[in-house]
PDB file of all heavy atoms in Angstrom:
ATOM      1  N   LEU A  78     -24.696 -12.715   0.919  1.00 98.00           N
ATOM      2  CA  LEU A  78     -23.818 -12.904   2.067  1.00 98.00           C
ATOM      3  C   LEU A  78     -22.732 -11.857   2.067  1.00 98.00           C
ATOM      4  O   LEU A  78     -22.099 -11.640   1.053  1.00 98.00           O
ATOM      5  CB  LEU A  78     -23.178 -14.305   1.959  1.00 98.00           C
ATOM      6  CG  LEU A  78     -23.915 -15.490   2.541  1.00 98.00           C
ATOM      7  CD1 LEU A  78     -23.188 -16.772   2.126  1.00 98.00           C
ATOM      8  CD2 LEU A  78     -24.035 -15.398   4.051  1.00 98.00           C
ATOM      9  N   ILE A  79     -22.541 -11.236   3.230  1.00 98.00           N
ATOM     10  CA  ILE A  79     -21.539 -10.180   3.284  1.00 98.00           C
ATOM     11  C   ILE A  79     -20.351 -10.681   4.081  1.00 98.00           C
ATOM     12  O   ILE A  79     -20.487 -11.182   5.206  1.00 98.00           O
ATOM     13  CB  ILE A  79     -22.109  -8.916   3.959  1.00 98.00           C
ATOM     14  CG1 ILE A  79     -23.304  -8.367   3.154  1.00 98.00           C
ATOM     15  CG2 ILE A  79     -21.015  -7.829   4.068  1.00 98.00           C
ATOM     16  CD1 ILE A  79     -24.019  -7.174   3.767  1.00 98.00           C
ATOM     17  N   SER A  80     -19.177 -10.568   3.428  1.00 98.00           N
ATOM     18  CA  SER A  80     -17.905 -10.927   4.059  1.00 98.00           C
ATOM     19  C   SER A  80     -17.122  -9.655   4.230  1.00 98.00           C
ATOM     20  O   SER A  80     -17.236  -8.737   3.404  1.00 98.00           O
ATOM     21  CB  SER A  80     -17.186 -11.884   3.088  1.00 98.00           C
ATOM     22  OG  SER A  80     -15.817 -12.011   3.454  1.00 98.00           O
ATOM     23  N   VAL A  81     -16.341  -9.556   5.320  1.00 98.00           N
ATOM     24  CA  VAL A  81     -15.504  -8.403   5.488  1.00 98.00           C
ATOM     25  C   VAL A  81     -14.052  -8.848   5.616  1.00 98.00           C
ATOM     26  O   VAL A  81     -13.718  -9.760   6.405  1.00 98.00           O
ATOM     27  CB  VAL A  81     -15.930  -7.564   6.708  1.00 98.00           C
ATOM     28  CG1 VAL A  81     -14.900  -6.472   6.996  1.00 98.00           C
ATOM     29  CG2 VAL A  81     -17.279  -6.907   6.361  1.00 98.00           C
ATOM     30  N   ASP A  82     -13.229  -8.268   4.732  1.00 97.00           N
ATOM     31  CA  ASP A  82     -11.778  -8.583   4.674  1.00 97.00           C
ATOM     32  C   ASP A  82     -11.088  -7.652   5.646  1.00 97.00           C
ATOM     33  O   ASP A  82     -10.872  -6.499   5.303  1.00 97.00           O
ATOM     34  CB  ASP A  82     -11.395  -8.380   3.180  1.00 97.00           C
ATOM     35  CG  ASP A  82      -9.940  -8.063   2.941  1.00 97.00           C
ATOM     36  OD1 ASP A  82      -9.114  -8.396   3.841  1.00 97.00           O
ATOM     37  OD2 ASP A  82      -9.635  -7.449   1.907  1.00 97.00           O
ATOM     38  N   THR A  83     -10.806  -8.186   6.846  1.00 97.00           N
ATOM     39  CA  THR A  83     -10.126  -7.386   7.859  1.00 97.00           C
ATOM     40  C   THR A  83      -9.275  -8.240   8.766  1.00 97.00           C
ATOM     41  O   THR A  83      -9.562  -9.418   8.965  1.00 97.00           O
ATOM     42  CB  THR A  83     -11.175  -6.592   8.713  1.00 97.00           C
ATOM     43  OG1 THR A  83     -10.449  -5.683   9.551  1.00 97.00           O
ATOM     44  CG2 THR A  83     -12.063  -7.493   9.560  1.00 97.00           C
ATOM     45  N   MET A  84      -8.247  -7.630   9.331  1.00 97.00           N
ATOM     46  CA  MET A  84      -7.420  -8.289  10.325  1.00 97.00           C
ATOM     47  C   MET A  84      -7.700  -7.709  11.711  1.00 97.00           C
ATOM     48  O   MET A  84      -7.063  -8.082  12.691  1.00 97.00           O
ATOM     49  CB  MET A  84      -5.931  -8.131  10.024  1.00 97.00           C
ATOM     50  CG  MET A  84      -5.563  -8.827   8.684  1.00 97.00           C
ATOM     51  SD  MET A  84      -3.773  -8.839   8.468  1.00 97.00           S
ATOM     52  CE  MET A  84      -3.520  -7.177   7.783  1.00 97.00           C
ATOM     53  N   LYS A  85      -8.629  -6.761  11.812  1.00 98.00           N
ATOM     54  CA  LYS A  85      -8.866  -6.042  13.060  1.00 98.00           C
ATOM     55  C   LYS A  85     -10.194  -6.491  13.702  1.00 98.00           C
ATOM     56  O   LYS A  85     -11.258  -6.404  13.066  1.00 98.00           O
ATOM     57  CB  LYS A  85      -8.958  -4.548  12.787  1.00 98.00           C
ATOM     58  CG  LYS A  85      -7.650  -3.934  12.182  1.00 98.00           C
ATOM     59  CD  LYS A  85      -7.784  -2.424  12.067  1.00 98.00           C
ATOM     60  CE  LYS A  85      -6.572  -1.821  11.470  1.00 98.00           C
ATOM     61  NZ  LYS A  85      -6.516  -1.872   9.988  1.00 98.00           N
ATOM     62  N   SER A  86     -10.098  -6.912  14.967  1.00 98.00           N
ATOM     63  CA  SER A  86     -11.307  -7.464  15.646  1.00 98.00           C
ATOM     64  C   SER A  86     -12.367  -6.381  15.809  1.00 98.00           C
ATOM     65  O   SER A  86     -13.550  -6.663  15.786  1.00 98.00           O
ATOM     66  CB  SER A  86     -10.952  -8.071  16.967  1.00 98.00           C
ATOM     67  OG  SER A  86     -10.395  -7.114  17.838  1.00 98.00           O
ATOM     68  N   ALA A  87     -11.967  -5.103  16.007  1.00 98.00           N
ATOM     69  CA  ALA A  87     -12.960  -4.066  16.225  1.00 98.00           C
ATOM     70  C   ALA A  87     -13.771  -3.829  14.940  1.00 98.00           C
ATOM     71  O   ALA A  87     -14.958  -3.567  14.961  1.00 98.00           O
ATOM     72  CB  ALA A  87     -12.254  -2.743  16.637  1.00 98.00           C
ATOM     73  N   VAL A  88     -13.106  -3.945  13.783  1.00 98.00           N
ATOM     74  CA  VAL A  88     -13.831  -3.836  12.505  1.00 98.00           C
ATOM     75  C   VAL A  88     -14.725  -5.046  12.322  1.00 98.00           C
ATOM     76  O   VAL A  88     -15.878  -4.895  11.895  1.00 98.00           O
ATOM     77  CB  VAL A  88     -12.786  -3.681  11.340  1.00 98.00           C
ATOM     78  CG1 VAL A  88     -13.510  -3.642  10.000  1.00 98.00           C
ATOM     79  CG2 VAL A  88     -11.950  -2.413  11.516  1.00 98.00           C
ATOM     80  N   ALA A  89     -14.235  -6.208  12.608  1.00 98.00           N
ATOM     81  CA  ALA A  89     -15.027  -7.428  12.471  1.00 98.00           C
ATOM     82  C   ALA A  89     -16.255  -7.342  13.355  1.00 98.00           C
ATOM     83  O   ALA A  89     -17.395  -7.623  12.914  1.00 98.00           O
ATOM     84  CB  ALA A  89     -14.179  -8.659  12.849  1.00 98.00           C
ATOM     85  N   GLN A  90     -16.069  -6.907  14.591  1.00 98.00           N
ATOM     86  CA  GLN A  90     -17.215  -6.822  15.524  1.00 98.00           C
ATOM     87  C   GLN A  90     -18.281  -5.882  15.012  1.00 98.00           C
ATOM     88  O   GLN A  90     -19.463  -6.194  14.966  1.00 98.00           O
ATOM     89  CB  GLN A  90     -16.687  -6.342  16.914  1.00 98.00           C
ATOM     90  CG  GLN A  90     -17.770  -6.082  17.920  1.00 98.00           C
ATOM     91  CD  GLN A  90     -18.560  -7.339  18.279  1.00 98.00           C
ATOM     92  OE1 GLN A  90     -18.049  -8.369  18.677  1.00 98.00           O
ATOM     93  NE2 GLN A  90     -19.891  -7.291  18.066  1.00 98.00           N
ATOM     94  N   ALA A  91     -17.852  -4.688  14.557  1.00 98.00           N
ATOM     95  CA  ALA A  91     -18.818  -3.723  14.036  1.00 98.00           C
ATOM     96  C   ALA A  91     -19.508  -4.219  12.789  1.00 98.00           C
ATOM     97  O   ALA A  91     -20.741  -4.061  12.584  1.00 98.00           O
ATOM     98  CB  ALA A  91     -18.140  -2.375  13.780  1.00 98.00           C
ATOM     99  N   ALA A  92     -18.752  -4.834  11.884  1.00 98.00           N
ATOM    100  CA  ALA A  92     -19.305  -5.324  10.624  1.00 98.00           C
ATOM    101  C   ALA A  92     -20.325  -6.458  10.914  1.00 98.00           C
ATOM    102  O   ALA A  92     -21.431  -6.481  10.305  1.00 98.00           O
ATOM    103  CB  ALA A  92     -18.199  -5.841   9.718  1.00 98.00           C
TER     104      ALA A  92
END
Side-chain angles (χ1 to χ4, degrees):
L78 274 171
I79 301 175
S80 164
V81 171
D82 155 23
T83 187
M84 296 188 278
K85 300 185 181 82
S86 63
V88 175
Q90 175 61 58

